[in-house]
Amino acid sequence: MTTPPRVTIKDVAARAGVSKGAVSLAFNHKPGLSDATRDRIFEAARALGWAPNLAARSLSSRRVDVVGLAICRPAKLLGLEPFYMEFISGVESVLTEHSCSLLLRLVRTVEEEVGLQDTWWRGRQISGSILVDFRADDPRTAAVERLGMPVVAVGHPSLTGGLTSVWTDDATAVTEAVRYLAALGHRRVARVGGAAALGHTSIRTAAFDEAARVLGLAGARQVATDFSGDAGARATRSLLTAAAPDRPTAIVYDNDIMAVAGLSVASEMGLNVPGDVSLLAWDDSQLCRLTHPTLSAMSHDVHGFGAEVARTLFGVITGEEGAGSHPVPTPVLTPRGSTAPPRE
């Protein structure tokens, strides 16, 4: 695929019939230009899709100044989710070593993010970007390839096209979780999953169904949510109020917030954990170790994951890293007090 040439200040000046210095004066709101000339410059910039370099250094130096990260999550939920706090901490730990800043924005839709990434790159506000929460046929893949923008995709290669990707093997981790619960004697296992549109949710859903099929767990069920504690609580309440033959004896959650909420619901209903129902969380943050009983979890180094993503992006930007797939260690089961053999 041929990458279109980057529009420069020289192109804007030529279209407007002025010097590069005049374009600089216009965008820095300096005196010395007539209103008509200033308007002509702005019109030329809009027509060419150009914006001034806000990163303050030329990308041709191959120095990294600002890295972008857009996340399609509500601000309230993001602030409560330990995964992204640890992930961003890991990214920042590497950026700090390189005197680089993180430009973080929350967006409402993937389409909004496509426009944001375009604006960031054309305006030279960033040197590269980290893309997260991939979906099937994600429009960002083609968009950043068209721009020639250095990115690292956080997601399974099956979701990220030809982009350089860093990912965890969620399918293997889900299979391990289901096998563990089945080995304890659980036959009715449920999963409280994340947003159904997300690619990694689909991967986990398929892996859960396949593991349940192989193990003959006829009572396996799955519920999709939005990752929030409230949604996790509602899903747990729905599962645990089912008639006895259908009520699960073990539940796997797609994050720690929902698992903690599920533990609260079980307590509210007078159920013993793990006697009446076993609970298993994903991500294993401090939350899992502060509950009573402590939550069993699929553990992985989220801080280290973020750091590896940032290191890979630096390699892409500087040309030291070619396109490819970079798996990180698969989440490992950490049994704690919230799982045990079923009483029945």
Side-chain angles (χ1 to χ4, degrees), residues 44-161:
R46 281 193 295 270
L48 293 173
W50 182 86
N53 182 357
L54 300 181
R57 291 179 186 165
S58 171
L59 291 179
S60 63
S61 67
R62 290 193 178 275
R63 297 190 64 177
V64 182
D65 302 294
V66 180
V67 165
L69 171 61
I71 302 176
C72 189
R73 299 282 178 93
K76 183 178 180 181
L77 176 58
L78 186 68
L80 294 173
E81 191 167 7
F83 172 85
Y84 269 119
M85 296 302 100
E86 290 187 43
F87 178 81
I88 291 171
S89 174
V91 170
E92 286 278 17
S93 70
V94 174
L95 300 189
T96 300
E97 296 174 1
H98 296 268
S99 300
C100 182
S101 300
L102 179 68
L103 179 55
L104 174 65
R105 281 280 297 276
L106 302 185
V107 295
R108 291 163 294 183
T109 65
V110 176
E111 290 71 27
E112 182 181 345
E113 183 184 342
V114 169
L116 176 65
Q117 299 286 357
D118 184 277
T119 298
W120 278 350
W121 182 244
R122 290 186 187 277
R124 299 187 180 183
Q125 297 178 53
I126 60 173
S127 303
S129 198
I130 296 168
L131 307 182
V132 299
D133 286 342
F134 272 77
R135 293 147 171 81
D137 301 318
D138 199 295
R140 293 173 295 175
T141 302
V144 298
E145 287 180 338
R146 185 170 59 251
L147 289 170
M149 179 180 178
V151 301
V152 166
V154 180
H156 192 273
S158 64
L159 301 168
T160 59

Side-chain angles (χ1 to χ4, degrees), residues 163-250:
L163 301 178
T164 299
S165 62
V166 180
W167 55 284
T168 58
D169 188 351
D170 286 3
T172 296
V174 167
T175 301
E176 181 182 2
V178 176
R179 285 176 176 169
Y180 163 70
L181 293 171
L184 289 177
H186 294 279
R187 310 304 297 169
R188 299 194 304 276
V189 179
R191 170 176 164 263
V192 176
L198 294 177
H200 69 266
T201 297
S202 298
I203 289 171
R204 295 180 189 183
T205 298
F208 183 92
D209 282 340
E210 177 61 13
R213 184 192 66 78
V214 170
L215 295 167
L217 306 182
R221 296 179 58 192
Q222 301 194 67
V223 181
T225 70
D226 62 4
F227 291 109
S228 69
D230 288 344
R234 286 193 298 271
T236 303
R237 192 172 289 109
S238 175
L239 289 168
L240 295 181
T241 54
D246 297 321
R247 193 174 76 187
T249 60

